[in-house]
Amino acid sequence: MNGEGGTDSRQVTGPAIILVEPQLGENIGMVARAMANFGLSDLRLVAPRDGWPNEKARAAASRADHVIDAVRVYENVAEAVAELRFVLATTARTREIPKEVLGPREAAAALREKESLGQETGLLFGRERWGLVNEEIAYADKIVTFPVNPSFASLNLAQSVLLMSYEWLQSGLGEGELPTRARLPELDAMPAPKSELVGLMEHLESALEPTGYYRTEEKRPVMVRNLRAMLQRPGFTTTEIRALRGIVAALEGRKTKRDVAKASGEEDE
């Protein structure tokens, strides 16, 4: 049975999210929002208690309208998973059915692997109060169990979907990679030429001269050497050196912006 919101011919990226007999429209909407946060869009409902469409679901979806508009409704789990080739069932309870149990990260990796082979996948989520029954879990290839505090193990429906949606998106990213709305520019980490660094050193040494920092003329060479060693260590960029020279100029008591700009090298730009 196809739902009111879509057809089986659409192209879907990522696993279908299947909610079995969801009770509240608000829960469905929050699930849609969690899916949209992490790039999923195929939401399937099995016999929702309050029917479909549901305006409370749309309101709770917080503008994830593309997910709500594409919802498909089914009479039972068998119909909801009919064209899928790999299905995982989420449950926190031990069942009599002998199936491999995965954690969320392992499950996401398994979904990615099946998708890379061109196989349609799905994640099965149970009722808000008592989850899935054995007959429904029988349609799944494997089970997903969340590592939660055993003394407070209850997750609501939207939390469960969000956790798996996050792991699914994360499994498709390179190490340390973050998706962003726009590519961030690369930071300029090129160390400045030594001539600019020496200019900073000499500027700072000159500015410290009238302050009594060197204490005695005998100590001056050692203190200058230590200062230069500290300034050498970070590998300052040209921009950072200009900023530091501007700070030194300001501390010297130069009153005009032109003086500070000249010391920092910005006047010529």
Side-chain angles (χ1 to χ4, degrees), residues 201 204-205 208-209 211-231:
M201 293 172 176
L204 181 58
E205 292 158 15
L208 288 172
E209 191 72 53
T211 68
Y213 173 79
Y214 299 114
R215 301 178 189 173
T216 67
E217 193 59 31
E218 291 76 17
K219 291 184 177 181
R220 189 181 194 283
V222 174
M223 297 182 77
V224 166
R225 186 165 62 247
N226 290 341
L227 274 175
R228 293 197 171 204
M230 285 189 289
L231 292 172

Side-chain angles (χ1 to χ4, degrees), residues 77-267:
V77 173
E79 292 181 356
V81 303
E83 91 283 11
L84 302 180
R85 302 173 189 273
F86 183 73
V87 176
L88 299 177
T90 61
T91 177
R93 286 177 284 180
T94 303
R95 304 286 178 170
E96 295 81 4
I97 302 175
K99 290 185 183 290
E100 183 180 357
V101 179
L102 305 176
R105 194 155 299 174
E106 296 172 295
L111 291 167
R112 285 281 179 185
E113 180 184 4
K114 298 298 183 182
E115 187 176 286
S116 71
L117 299 173
Q119 298 182 21
E120 299 87 350
T121 65
L123 278 162
L124 199 58
F125 294 85
R127 301 155 187 84
E128 289 95 328
R129 289 190 176 183
W130 43 281
L132 298 166
V133 298
N134 286 352
E135 290 75 15
E136 293 160 347
I137 295 174
Y139 288 103
D141 296 277
K142 299 181 182 182
I143 289 172
V144 184
T145 296
F146 302 141
V148 293
N149 180 358
S151 64
F152 195 78
S154 176
L155 289 176
N156 68 38
L157 186 57
Q159 287 175 323
S160 299
V161 172
L162 185 141
L163 193 158
M164 281 307 308
S165 299
Y166 166 81
E167 290 292 355
W168 178 82
L169 179 63
Q170 187 74 8
S171 69
L173 299 176
E175 185 175 354
E177 182 182 355
L178 289 175
T180 57
R181 289 189 178 92
R183 184 174 178 82
L184 298 176
E186 295 291 334
L187 295 176
D188 179 12
M190 181 69 70
K194 295 299 182 185
S195 60
E196 294 182 10
L197 183 60
V198 170
L200 170 62
M201 293 172 176
E202 293 176 345
H203 187 180
L204 181 58
E205 292 158 15
S206 175
L208 288 172
E209 191 72 53
T211 68
Y213 173 79
Y214 299 114
R215 301 178 189 173
T216 67
E217 193 59 31
E218 291 76 17
K219 291 184 177 181
R220 189 181 194 283
V222 174
M223 297 182 77
V224 166
R225 186 165 62 247
N226 290 341
L227 274 175
R228 293 197 171 204
M230 285 189 289
L231 292 172
Q232 179 77 34
R233 195 173 299 124
F236 292 123
T237 65
T238 292
T239 300
E240 290 168 337
I241 285 179
R242 289 178 176 178
L244 288 170
R245 293 199 64 174
I247 292 170
V248 174
L251 292 174
E252 284 181 300
R254 299 184 183 182
K255 302 299 182 183
T256 68
K257 291 182 179 180
R258 181 180 177 85
D259 288 332
V260 175
K262 184 176 181 181
S264 65
E266 294 177 0
E267 188 179 52

Side-chain angles (χ1 to χ4, degrees), residues 15-17 30-44 67 161-162 165:
I17 301 298
M30 288 188 286
V31 164
R33 181 177 182 178
M35 291 172 61
N37 285 151
F38 298 103
L40 299 179
S41 60
D42 186 358
L43 177 57
R44 307 180 183 193
V67 179
V161 172
L162 185 141
S165 299

